[in-house]
Amino acid sequence: ADGYYEYITSECVYSTSDYSDMVYLLSYSYNKDVLLQFNSTVGKFVGLTEFGVINAERFNKDQAYLQQQKAAVDRFCRHNAQIIDSSVRDKA
């Protein structure tokens, strides 16, 4: 199965119940190699390959897109963690 595989993953990482340590990670990958990643703690895209560096610079210049990713820790991560955590706690 020859071919190319490009994908984007979003992760929310946290270990405290008040979500104070929550981090949002957005990774752009190609054929299992992570090219670039946004980290909400860092607040910008970081390139991990030569091609990733070029695209990280491009994404970091787009202030609207960068602000959207910075807000994802609240809009996407905390929102969903509260829903999921409350349903798990109710079952315990």
Side-chain angles (χ1 to χ4, degrees):
D2 293 332
Y4 302 101
Y5 192 55
E6 181 179 5
Y7 55 99
I8 301 169
T9 58
S10 298
E11 298 177 70
C12 301
V13 181
Y14 63 99
S15 61
T16 59
S17 60
D18 67 353
Y19 313 124
S20 60
D21 64 341
M22 187 167 281
V23 178
Y24 172 68
L25 302 170
L26 178 68
S27 301
Y28 285 77
S29 301
Y30 183 78
N31 284 353
K32 298 183 182 179
D33 293 326
V34 178
L35 304 177
L36 69 147
Q37 186 175 64
F38 175 83
N39 181 320
S40 64
T41 303
V42 176
K44 66 179 185 175
F45 285 89
V46 176
L48 304 173
T49 65
E50 184 178 343
F51 184 69
V53 169
I54 293 166
N55 283 286
E57 290 172 358
R58 183 172 56 90
F59 286 152
N60 288 330
K61 288 179 184 174
D62 185 344
Q63 290 301 309
Y65 187 58
L66 200 57
Q67 288 303 321
Q68 184 180 12
Q69 299 314 313
K70 288 178 181 180
V73 73
D74 291 317
R75 184 191 79 249
F76 177 71
C77 291
R78 283 193 180 92
H79 171 75
N80 288 313
Q82 289 169 345
I83 293 168
I84 293 166
D85 288 354
S86 68
S87 67
V88 171
R89 278 190 225 114
D90 292 345
K91 303 274 189 248

